[in-house]
Amino acid sequence: MQYHIALSRKFNLEDIDQEAQAGKRPGHVMWNIGQLLGAKIYVPGGESILPSDKMNARIMGNPEQWALARKLSTQLGEDDVVFCAGEDIGIAIAKICSKLAKRPKIVIFNQNIERLRVYLALKLFRLRDKIDFFMTASPSQADFLRRYFSLPEDRICLFTEQPTDISFFTPGSASPHKRRPIIGSGGLEKRDYVTLAAATKDLDVDVNICAFSPDIKALSKSFPKVIPSNMSHRYYDWSDLKQLYRDSDVVAVSLFPNNYQAGQSTLFEAMACRRPVVVTQSPGIIQDLVNAGCAIGVDFGDAVGMKQAIISLLNDPEKAEAIAQRGYELVQKQYNHKNYIESFTAKLTSRYGSPSKTADLVNSSRT
């Protein structure tokens, strides 16, 4: 079986891997998975855009993704397996390849299949039986697939491993220029910095936020209209982000309600740097971490509860260290990029067989 990986947006995994090897940033699990599977990796961009691509993109995705799907449909057959890293590129490939007499096996990692646009696209294009395997990190997403698409269990995979690169995100010393306690945070997806601001505006702390995501735009309601004087938010490069975690006395992940496990990257990166975490409670992995004593959970919108949790950690270093250590040990043991790569590869090869090409024949797209 020949494996392929289709990414939702354009970036170069080989360059990322070289920077990761130099210690400049975390690695990307899809590069390592591609190497193990002997997979060619595809990114949108470079193909000619047709009117039909623009028309389909009005329903789902973007024209570049549909153009890539058209290209792949001319190259792939029944002996190919295509892993699609998101619903957008996955729906495009599944729709275009559905016309083939001998189509490839299609695997999609679902980020938020309950979103109305995604659900309607799947229904409109009648893709229930054109997508062979649905993967998701969220229990609610898996339940949605069962309820609304009547999928059997053998076509759904709840995959809760985490791609946190523990060779990059490591414990380390705080900056010598640190003036007072720091509450660190990061990310834009479903972030509720209004509650975090209310919880910390009267505390003698600096609240430093890495407010950047390559995939997500900030919600208009994410930040308070007036930023407190002790709060700042900006772009951090990877090295600065790692230092932000190391400088943080507490990492706070304040979230709006969601059903697709938002906030986990920040949560696990902080734990890998052995920092204590306060997080908005959410069903699934986050709740499991709170129950295991690896983080302190607070209710959505509960500024008083978040303030009390932060103060309890600032005033009790032993408690903070114990929580940080439990989280660190769990990431080292379970929730890390090494386990993700091994488990992910095993899921595909156990279902579709060993790759027909070895790793040294991998040909990564450099467009």
Side-chain angles (χ1 to χ4, degrees):
M1 193 65 68
Q2 176 61 48
Y3 289 90
H4 308 263
I5 296 172
L7 304 179
S8 292
R9 61 186 181 88
K10 186 175 182 178
F11 56 93
N12 193 297
L13 293 183
E14 189 170 1
D15 288 349
I16 290 174
D17 181 67
Q18 291 175 358
E19 291 183 6
Q21 294 295 328
K24 297 179 180 179
R25 58 160 298 152
H28 198 298
V29 290
M30 281 301 131
W31 171 259
N32 301 95
I33 290 169
Q35 294 292 295
L36 289 174
L37 292 176
K40 185 170 182 178
I41 299 170
Y42 304 88
V43 297
E47 292 77 32
S48 299
I49 304 296
L50 300 183
S52 60
D53 300 323
K54 296 179 180 179
M55 184 69 68
N56 284 324
R58 297 176 66 180
I59 300 172
M60 188 70 199
N62 59 53
E64 291 77 14
Q65 292 168 341
W66 286 93
L68 175 59
R70 283 191 297 103
K71 172 185 174 181
L72 293 181
S73 72
T74 67
Q75 301 175 358
L76 305 180
E78 61 183 342
D79 294 327
D80 296 288
V81 177
V82 186
F83 170 75
C84 306
E87 297 101 338
D88 46 7
I89 185 64
I91 286 173
I93 292 174
K95 169 64 170 64
I96 298 297
C97 290
S98 67
K99 303 174 184 178
L100 301 178
K102 296 181 179 181
R103 66 174 181 83
K105 283 76 174 174
I106 297 175
V107 180
I108 292 183
F109 201 101
N110 299 284
Q111 308 294 342
N112 187 10
I113 200 169
E114 294 183 64
R115 190 158 56 99
L116 182 60
R117 190 178 186 187
V118 178
Y119 173 74
L120 291 178
L122 288 169
K123 286 289 190 180
L124 177 64
F125 294 141
R126 300 179 181 179
L127 297 181
R128 177 195 181 278
D129 296 320
K130 305 301 181 182
I131 298 169
D132 300 272
F133 198 41
F134 293 80
M135 301 180 73
T136 179
S138 167
S140 69
Q141 301 282 304
D143 290 340
F144 186 85
L145 288 166
R146 296 185 190 99
R147 292 197 313 270
Y148 291 93
F149 292 94
S150 301
L151 290 174
E153 289 299 320
D154 66 352
R155 289 180 58 198
I156 301 172
C157 173
L158 180 60
F159 190 80
T160 58
E161 304 293 344
Q162 296 296 314
T164 309
D165 187 346
I166 57 174
S167 65
F168 180 80
F169 291 106
T170 58
S173 301
S175 169
H177 305 295
K178 178 177 171 181
R179 299 183 299 109
R180 58 180 179 175
I182 289 176
I183 310 303
S185 193
L188 292 176
E189 188 176 43
K190 291 293 183 179
R191 294 307 198 272
D192 174 19
Y193 292 120
V194 174
T195 296
L196 179 59
T200 56
K201 64 181 180 180
D202 297 325
L203 300 180
D204 185 24
V205 299
D206 289 318
V207 182
N208 297 341
I209 301 169
C210 174
F212 173 79
S213 171
D215 302 309
I216 304 295
K217 293 182 179 180
L219 299 173
S220 59
K221 61 181 180 179
S222 291
F223 288 91
K225 293 181 179 179
V226 178
I227 303 295
S229 60
N230 67 340
M231 174 181 275
S232 66
H233 59 93
R234 64 176 179 85
Y235 168 79
Y236 287 70
D237 66 21
W238 286 111
S239 294
D240 288 341
L241 175 61
K242 176 166 62 174
Q243 191 58 50
L244 172 60
Y245 290 131
R246 292 174 171 181
D247 288 343
S248 298
D249 296 84
V250 177
V251 173
V253 185
S254 184
L255 303 167
F256 291 116
N258 69 91
N259 55 13
Y260 52 92
Q261 309 295 296
Q264 288 188 15
S265 294
T266 300
L267 178 67
F268 284 104
E269 287 164 5
M271 290 167 60
C273 293
R274 203 161 57 213
R275 305 318 303 145
V277 177
V278 174
V279 61
T280 305
Q281 296 186 126
S282 302
I285 293 177
I286 289 178
Q287 190 60 55
D288 291 342
L289 294 174
V290 171
N291 293 342
C294 297
I296 295 180
V298 298
D299 293 332
F300 158 67
D302 184 3
V304 173
M306 181 167 287
K307 180 177 183 178
Q308 291 173 343
I310 290 172
I311 291 174
S312 73
L313 293 173
L314 294 176
N315 290 343
D316 191 342
E318 291 186 2
K319 176 182 178 180
E321 177 60 29
I323 290 174
Q325 184 64 29
R326 282 194 291 270
Y328 175 75
E329 291 175 357
L330 185 62
V331 171
Q332 295 297 311
K333 179 181 179 181
Q334 182 176 351
Y335 293 115
N336 59 69
H337 68 300
K338 297 177 182 178
N339 287 345
Y340 188 106
I341 293 164
E342 291 176 3
S343 297
F344 187 97
T345 304
K347 286 287 184 185
L348 292 189
T349 55
S350 65
R351 187 177 182 89
Y352 296 112
S354 300
S356 58
K357 289 186 178 181
T358 56
D360 61 347
L361 294 179
V362 170
N363 184 15
S364 173
S365 171
R366 296 190 61 87
T367 58

